[in-house]
């Protein structure tokens, strides 16, 4: 005699935590997103080092109106572009590989899938942005202090706010890059 056994269905539906976990796995498994984050880090720090090195041995008149915080955060320009590319790749990577079909089959509620993708990509951009901007600030100030250039500290008025909000700016860059995808 043959007995048929039924597959047990999970007791509850999928939710945001399952979608977040799947989106994080997808982003981590795409080589292009990892390479983009690496290029973002190297490019941001390299531009910071080059821009601060170029101004550290100038005459005293050059430093009138000089902003050491702004000079140390020059790498933000290249990093903003690269993090926007990360946002585009995170959204379009599924379409290129065809895995969007399995994503929609696993999570057919599209708004939940979109919210999960936005939260994961935004969180990655925010964390990477803050880490790189603080690193750029500290590296830039170290390079500036090796010459005659004035330097800044996080305790000076407005400096901490400028550094923190510069890292948070990447969140808007990645969201605008994702919106164009």
């Amino acid at each position: 005699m043959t007995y048929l056994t039924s597959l047990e269905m999970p007791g509850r539906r999928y939710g945001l935590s399952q979608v977040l976990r799947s989106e994080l796995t997808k982003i981590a498994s795409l080589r292009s997103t990892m390479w983009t984050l690496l290029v973002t880090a190297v490019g941001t720090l390299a531009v910071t080092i080059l821009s601060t090195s170029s101004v550290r041995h100038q005459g005293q008149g050059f430093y009138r109106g000089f902003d050491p915080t702004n000079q140390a955060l020059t790498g933000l320009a290249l990093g903003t572009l690269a993090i926007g590319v990360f946002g585009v790749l995170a959204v379009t990577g599924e379409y290129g590989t065809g895995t969007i079909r399995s994503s929609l089959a696993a999570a057919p509620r599209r708004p939940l899938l979109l919210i999960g993708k936005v939260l994961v990509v935004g969180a990655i951009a925010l964390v990477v942005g803050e880490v790189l901007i603080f690193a750029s600030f500290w590296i830039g100030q170290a390079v500036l202090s090796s010459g005659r250039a004035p330097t800044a500290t996080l305790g000076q008025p407005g400096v901490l706010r400028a550094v923190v909000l510069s890292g948070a700016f990447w969140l808007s860059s990645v969201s605008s890059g994702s919106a164009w995808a």
Side-chain angles (χ1 to χ4, degrees), residues 96-114:
T97 60
T99 57
I100 190 67
R101 290 186 294 269
S102 61
S103 295
L104 290 172
R109 296 187 313 189
R110 289 182 184 194
L112 187 63
L113 186 65
L114 181 62

Side-chain angles (χ1 to χ4, degrees), residues 84-176:
V85 171
F86 167 74
V88 169
L89 288 174
V91 172
T92 61
E94 286 187 89
Y95 291 98
T97 60
T99 57
I100 190 67
R101 290 186 294 269
S102 61
S103 295
L104 290 172
R109 296 187 313 189
R110 289 182 184 194
L112 187 63
L113 186 65
L114 181 62
I115 288 170
K117 188 173 291 289
V118 166
L119 288 175
V120 168
V121 171
I124 291 172
L126 183 64
V127 169
V128 168
E130 291 296 341
V131 167
L132 281 177
I133 294 301
F134 271 94
S136 291
F137 176 77
W138 289 320
I139 289 170
Q141 296 310 311
V143 171
L144 288 173
S145 69
S146 68
R148 291 181 291 196
T151 59
T153 64
L154 291 175
Q156 291 175 331
V159 173
L160 181 62
R161 179 182 52 173
V163 173
V164 169
L165 292 179
S166 294
F169 172 71
W170 280 13
L171 185 60
S172 67
S173 298
V174 77
S175 63
S176 65

Side-chain angles (χ1 to χ4, degrees), residues 56-80:
R56 64 183 173 166
H57 294 295
Q58 300 292 330
Q60 288 296 357
F62 178 82
Y63 297 120
R64 197 165 292 134
F66 179 75
D67 184 4
T69 303
N70 187 33
Q71 192 69 34
L73 299 180
T74 312
L76 176 68
L78 178 68
T80 302

